Amino acid sequence: HHNQRVKLKRFNLGDMVLWKVSQATNDPTQGKLGLNWKGPYKVVRYSRRGSYYLEDMNKKSLPRPWNAEYLKKYYQ
């Protein structure tokens, strides 16, 4: 184990992912029991800073890239 670094999650273009919704962006009407994960979204572009551009099922792009730490692989 010479590699002590935390392994960054990597996603491929076309992967389906779920996006972790922080409390700040969550719908306040849902309270604390609101969904933590939204999606699935499709990875459409990789940003150099380790974040990903996503689009939803209607091919609508999300307005900004999302860091890999907020994403997880979606399995149908």
Side-chain angles (χ1 to χ4, degrees), residues 9 12 17 24 28-30 34-35 37 39 50 55 57-58 66-68:
K9 282 186 282 190
N12 298 312
V17 297
T29 59
Q30 294 183 0
L35 275 177
W37 294 95
E55 69 179 25
M57 297 290 86
N58 302 315
W66 294 94
N67 195 294

Side-chain angles (χ1 to χ4, degrees), residues 27-41:
D27 182 348
T29 59
Q30 294 183 0
K32 291 268 190 261
L33 297 176
L35 275 177
N36 282 346
W37 294 95
K38 289 198 171 169
Y41 295 99

Side-chain angles (χ1 to χ4, degrees), residues 15-19 37-43 54-58 62 72-76:
D15 277 357
M16 302 306 291
V17 297
L18 297 176
W19 164 50
W37 294 95
K38 289 198 171 169
Y41 295 99
K42 184 177 178 185
V43 175
L54 307 176
E55 69 179 25
D56 66 16
M57 297 290 86
N58 302 315
L62 296 188
K72 73 174 179 183
K73 196 91 180 250
Y74 171 73
Y75 298 98
Q76 264 101 337

